[in-house]
Amino acid sequence: VDKEYIRNFSIIAHVDHGKSTLADRLLQFTGTIAPEKFRDQYLDNMDIERERGITIKMRATRLWYRSKDGSCYLLNLIDTPGHVDFSYEVSRSLAAVEGCLLVVDASQGVQAQTIANVDLALENNLEIVPVLNKVDLATAEPDKVCQEISQVIGIDASRAVRASAKFGIGVEEILEEIVHLIPPPQGQVDAPLQALIFDSYFDPYRGVVVFIRVRNGEIRTGMKVKFMATGVEHVVEQVGILTPDEVVRTSGVLSCGEVGFIKAGIKSLHDAPVGDTITGCDNPTQSPLKGYKPAKSMVFCGLYPADSSVLFENLRSALEKLSLNDSSISFQPESSSVLGKGFRVGFLGMLHMEVVKERLKREYELELLTSAPSVVYKFRNLKGEYFMESNPSKIPNDARHFEEPYVKLDIVCPDQYNGTILDLCQNHRASLEDMRYVSKGRILLKFLIPLAEVLTNFYDQVKSRTRGFGSMDYEFHSYRSSDLVKLDIAVAGDVVEGLSCVVHRDQAYSKGKEIIEKLKKYIPRHQFKVVLQAMISAKVIASDFIQPLRKDVLAKCYGGDVSRKKKLLERQKEGKEKLRQLGKVRLSPEAFAAVVAQK
Ligand code: GDP
Ligand code: MG
C-alpha cells in the first residue's frame, strides 16, 4: 500500500463515552469482522474486561475503507483503555499514530479523563477528530458539548460528527473525517529501520510477540535487528499484521508507516520493553525514536495466601506468569507476623490492583489477604541517610523529613456541588490550584493532593457527593515534603507488623483511635487484660484495653472461709501471670483484613 493511503489512529474518550462500541461499529461497517463472528466489545477479549465493561489492554487492528471519492484506505486502529490507571497504555498507543478520534458523550459532556487524554494527544502533536456520541439519547445536548470542547480543549468542534455508536449513526462520516483530516504517515522506506514498540505480550508457546509501528525503513523476516535500549540482537522469525487476529505476512515485510507484529525468539518482555526502538544491525539508525515514559508502580500492598504456606510458591509462580504479560507489576517476597509469607506487590493504581487480585483469584484460584495499600515514601534517618520505602512497618522509628507523591487532580462537576467538593478536598490535604467553568453550570476544579489521600474511598466520595455527576482524573506531579509520622499499633505490647501506617501528624491520633476501636471489635477476650496502643516512635499516643475473662473461682466457695478465698484468688492471679508471659494474642487473618479494610 502506498503510504498516502494509510491512516493510523486511536480512539480516546472518558470511560463509558462509547469508545469500544464505536470501535465495534467501525469493524462492522468496514466488514473487518465477518457478521457471524461478531460479538459486542469485540476488542475487549479479557474476561475481566468484558464483565466490567472496561478496556484494560489496548488492541490494534486494521480496517480497509473505500472512501466516497473511490480511493481505498488502510486504517490502523489502536483501541485504548480509558481508566486513569491505564493512562500509560494510552500514551503508548498515541506515540504510534498520527491522529485520534476524541469521543465525547453528548449527554455527559467533557469529563476529567477527556481533558487528560486530550493533553496526551496534544503532547504527541496528533490531529484530533472530535465525535459527539450518543446523540440518540433524549438528554443529548450536542450543541452545548460542542462549545465545551472548543472552550475547554481549545479545538474547533463545529464540524464534529454527531454520532450514535449504539445505533450505527454517523459511522461513515467518521471514517470520512479520519481519511481527510488525519495525515498519512511520514517517513522513508529507504532510510535505516526505526520501529517503535508500542506493546508486547508473552505467549507460553510462541514466546514474546512484539507490536510495532514502523517509522522508517522496513523490517523483514531473516533480518538481524537490534533493540536499542537493551542492546540485545535477534533475528526476525515472523512478521505479520493484526486483523485483529495475528496474521503472518507471506511477503515477510512490514514497511514504513505500517503497524503490525514481529516474533524474533525473544524470551522475556524485558528484552523488548515498550517504547524501545528496533533497528537493523546492518544499517542501523543513529537515533532511537522518542520513547515513552516507563510505567511506574505507584501503589503497593502485601499479598498473602489466605491459608497454608504451600500456596506461597503458587503465588510466586502466578505473579511471575502475570508479570510476563503485564510488565507494570513488580513484586518481592515479604513476611508478616500475622499473615506469614507473602509478597509486596506494586501496581499502577487501585483499579490495576483490583484487576490483578481478581486475576490471581480467577486464573490461579488463589484466595488472598491484602495489607492496606500504600504509596512509596521518601525519608531520612537520624544520620541523614536517604531511603525509599512502601512498607510502613519497615520504616524505622527515627525516620524524618518525609516526602510523599503528590498528584494533579482534576474534578469536573455541576457547579452546585462546588462547596462539597472543596470541603472533601480540604479534608484530604488538597490545595486548590485553579477553578473555571467548562460550560454554563459545570466547573473544572484543579487540585494538588497527596496520592495517599486519593487511594482510600476518595473516588466513591466524589461520586456520592455529586450524585454521580462528578468525574475525576489524576496524574503524578512530584514528591513534596509533608509532616508525616509512622504510626505503630501494639497489641499486648507487641507491635503488629502490617498494621503500621504513615499518616499526617494531625491525623495520627484519630487514625490511631480508629484502628484501636476496630481491633477491639475483632479480638476476643482473653484470660488477661489485652492492651491496645497506638504509638509514634515508641511513644504511646492513644490506648485502650480489652477486659479479661474473669472465671469466678469463688463460685463454689460457700460460707466465710476468708483465707481459702484469698488462696484461690492468689492462685488465679499466678495463672494469669503465666498466661501473660506466654501472652501472644493471636490476631486472625480475617480480623487483620477487617481492620485494614478502608471502609
Ligand atoms: P468505553 O468505556 O468508552 O469503551 O465505552 P463503551 O463502548 O463500553 O460504552 C459504554 C456504554 O455506553 C455501553 O453501555 C454502551 O452500550 C453505551 N453506548 C455506547 N455508545 C452509545 C450510543 O451511541 N448511544 C447510547 N444510547 N448508548 C451508547
Ligand atoms: Mg472500552
Side-chain angles (χ1 to χ4, degrees):
V1 193
D2 184 345
K3 276 206 326 281
E4 287 309 306
Y5 294 96
I6 297 180
R7 298 290 183 273
N8 298 317
F9 72 102
S10 286
I11 309 180
I12 56 176
H14 187 76
V15 65
D16 279 350
H17 281 200
K19 265 187 331 276
S20 300
T21 311
L22 180 59
D24 283 353
R25 290 297 95 79
L26 295 175
L27 294 179
Q28 277 177 316
F29 189 89
T30 54
T32 306
I33 309 291
E36 67 277 10
K37 277 173 76 186
F38 187 81
R39 46 172 205 200
D40 281 350
Q41 312 260 312
Y42 193 87
L43 297 176
D44 292 348
N45 60 15
M46 248 158 74
D47 279 352
I48 300 174
E49 289 183 319
R50 298 186 71 82
E51 270 166 42
R52 294 187 175 220
I54 53 171
T55 310
I56 297 163
K57 283 301 281 184
M58 136 185 90
R59 303 277 178 271
T61 187
R62 57 161 48 198
L63 323 162
W64 287 104
Y65 173 60
R66 184 173 291 282
S67 72
K68 286 183 176 165
D69 63 17
S71 317
C72 203
Y73 290 89
L74 171 62
L75 314 179
N76 286 303
L77 157 63
I78 297 179
D79 190 23
T80 59
H83 192 276
V84 284
D85 280 13
F86 306 107
S87 67
Y88 79 107
E89 294 255 353
V90 181
S91 72
R92 282 182 205 184
S93 65
L94 293 188
V97 296
E98 279 76 38
C100 61
L101 293 181
L102 170 66
V103 177
V104 183
D105 182 332
S107 70
Q108 304 274 314
V110 168
Q111 297 289 343
Q113 287 160 39
T114 317
I115 300 171
N117 283 324
V118 166
D119 286 347
L120 289 173
L122 292 175
E123 271 171 35
N124 283 287
N125 292 318
L126 301 186
E127 183 65 35
I128 298 175
V129 179
V131 174
L132 302 169
N133 191 30
K134 306 200 188 180
V135 291
D136 58 281
L137 293 175
T139 49
E141 295 179 282
D143 292 331
K144 183 178 165 199
V145 174
C146 224
Q147 277 185 352
E148 283 187 9
I149 295 176
S150 307
Q151 193 173 325
V152 187
I153 297 175
I155 57 173
D156 178 19
S158 58
R159 47 176 292 187
V161 179
R162 293 161 189 230
S164 165
K166 186 165 179 181
F167 295 104
I169 300 167
V171 178
E172 189 172 18
E173 286 85 333
I174 292 171
L175 287 162
E176 287 293 315
E177 293 281 286
I178 292 172
V179 162
H180 291 115
L181 293 179
I182 297 176
Q186 305 288 305
Q188 278 154 346
V189 190
D190 44 16
L193 171 67
Q194 278 183 318
L196 182 71
I197 304 180
F198 66 84
D199 200 11
S200 56
Y201 74 92
F202 175 81
D203 180 296
Y205 302 105
R206 304 163 60 215
V208 174
V209 179
V210 184
F211 292 171
I212 56 168
R213 156 71 201 271
V214 183
R215 285 266 176 207
N216 279 300
E218 292 185 332
I219 190 164
R220 45 177 78 239
T221 34
M223 189 172 169
K224 198 168 175 203
V225 293
K226 180 173 175 169
F227 293 73
M228 294 183 81
T230 54
V232 291
E233 296 181 358
H234 286 279
V235 173
V236 178
E237 292 167 353
Q238 227 175 47
V239 163
I241 52 170
L242 304 154
T243 68
D245 301 326
E246 286 158 24
V247 177
V248 175
R249 267 231 171 126
T250 41
S251 69
V253 189
L254 267 184
S255 189
C256 161
E258 290 196 287
V259 174
F261 72 92
I262 63 160
K263 265 190 55 198
I266 307 160
K267 297 282 180 293
S268 156
L269 278 189
H270 300 284
D271 287 344
V274 165
D276 196 2
T277 303
I278 303 176
T279 192
C281 291
D282 285 343
N283 181 17
T285 175
Q286 293 311 309
S287 47
L289 297 162
K290 193 180 124 224
Y292 312 90
K293 292 179 222 161
K296 223 171 43 195
S297 300
M298 298 299 284
V299 180
F300 288 77
C301 76
L303 289 184
Y304 295 86
D307 31 32
S308 87
S309 59
V310 183
L311 291 177
F312 174 76
E313 285 307 324
N314 299 3
L315 178 56
R316 181 201 295 279
S317 92
L319 284 169
E320 270 163 8
K321 283 189 196 134
L322 275 186
S323 70
L324 287 176
N325 250 325
D326 181 349
S327 52
S328 55
I329 304 173
S330 60
F331 59 95
Q332 63 189 69
E334 161 181 285
S335 64
S336 140
S337 51
V338 185
L339 300 172
K341 269 166 51 167
F343 288 93
R344 187 118 201 116
V345 187
F347 307 93
L348 298 165
M350 296 298 277
L351 179 65
H352 187 215
M353 176 171 115
E354 273 179 47
V355 167
V356 170
K357 274 163 60 180
E358 185 90 11
R359 292 186 65 184
L360 287 169
K361 186 169 165 184
R362 262 191 225 193
E363 294 166 32
Y364 300 90
E365 292 172 2
L366 288 166
E367 210 53 63
L368 298 171
L369 282 169
T370 321
S371 66
S374 167
V375 301
V376 179
Y377 294 100
K378 296 182 177 180
F379 55 88
R380 291 175 188 281
N381 65 8
L382 266 184
K383 286 188 227 151
E385 292 164 325
Y386 182 78
F387 296 91
M388 287 175 85
E389 180 58 64
S390 71
N391 184 349
S393 63
K394 287 209 180 129
I395 294 179
N397 278 340
D398 66 355
R400 57 199 57 227
H401 304 304
F402 275 94
E403 287 175 38
E404 65 181 326
Y406 268 67
V407 293
K408 278 190 290 194
L409 169 71
D410 284 2
I411 296 180
V412 176
C413 67
D415 60 0
Q416 76 248 44
Y417 304 117
N418 191 0
T420 177
I421 289 296
L422 286 174
D423 181 57
L424 172 72
C425 289
Q426 212 141 53
N427 292 337
H428 285 87
R429 302 192 280 135
S431 59
L432 182 66
E433 301 289 302
D434 190 17
M435 182 160 125
R436 59 187 147 125
Y437 275 86
V438 296
S439 59
K440 193 164 172 291
R442 291 211 310 138
I443 45 166
L444 163 65
L445 298 158
K446 287 179 166 292
F447 299 93
L448 273 181
I449 185 171
L451 173 59
E453 299 285 342
V454 287
L455 291 189
T456 53
N457 58 354
F458 189 84
Y459 181 61
D460 294 343
Q461 284 278 330
V462 169
K463 278 285 170 203
S464 71
R465 283 175 184 235
T466 59
R467 296 176 193 274
F469 288 112
S471 65
M472 67 176 244
D473 191 85
Y474 59 87
E475 180 189 12
F476 175 73
H477 182 263
S478 58
Y479 268 85
R480 305 187 140 207
S481 60
S482 288
D483 190 10
L484 301 176
V485 291
K486 183 183 71 152
L487 184 70
D488 286 320
I489 304 295
V491 174
D494 294 334
V495 171
V496 181
E497 237 177 78
L499 289 184
S500 299
C501 54
V502 173
V503 290
H504 193 263
R505 194 181 297 278
D506 295 345
Q507 293 166 356
Y509 177 74
S510 58
K511 183 77 187 173
K513 267 272 189 236
E514 182 193 316
I515 298 177
I516 285 176
E517 258 161 44
K518 282 195 199 162
L519 278 174
K520 219 175 150 175
K521 272 192 234 148
Y522 285 99
I523 297 179
R525 290 169 74 179
H526 283 60
Q527 292 293 331
F528 52 93
K529 179 166 144 184
V530 176
V531 179
L532 307 171
Q533 295 162 308
M535 308 187 296
I536 297 174
S537 301
K539 276 198 212 76
V540 177
I541 59 161
S543 73
D544 204 337
F545 60 87
I546 300 168
Q547 287 285 8
L549 285 170
R550 187 150 189 242
K551 212 162 119 199
D552 195 353
V553 282
L554 304 182
K556 282 188 206 141
C557 237
Y558 310 104
D561 185 350
V562 179
S563 69
R564 190 169 131 72
K565 271 189 190 164
K566 250 192 184 153
K567 225 180 194 164
L568 282 171
L569 284 172
E570 250 156 41
R571 218 193 277 156
Q572 188 188 32
K573 202 170 149 205
E574 257 171 43
K576 278 187 186 171
E577 213 68 67
K578 220 179 233 158
L579 269 173
R580 194 169 303 152
Q581 284 159 19
L582 300 173
K584 274 267 179 276
V585 171
R586 221 184 101 67
L587 188 57
S588 71
E590 293 70 31
F592 182 85
V595 174
V596 300
Q598 297 290 338
K599 284 166 230 171

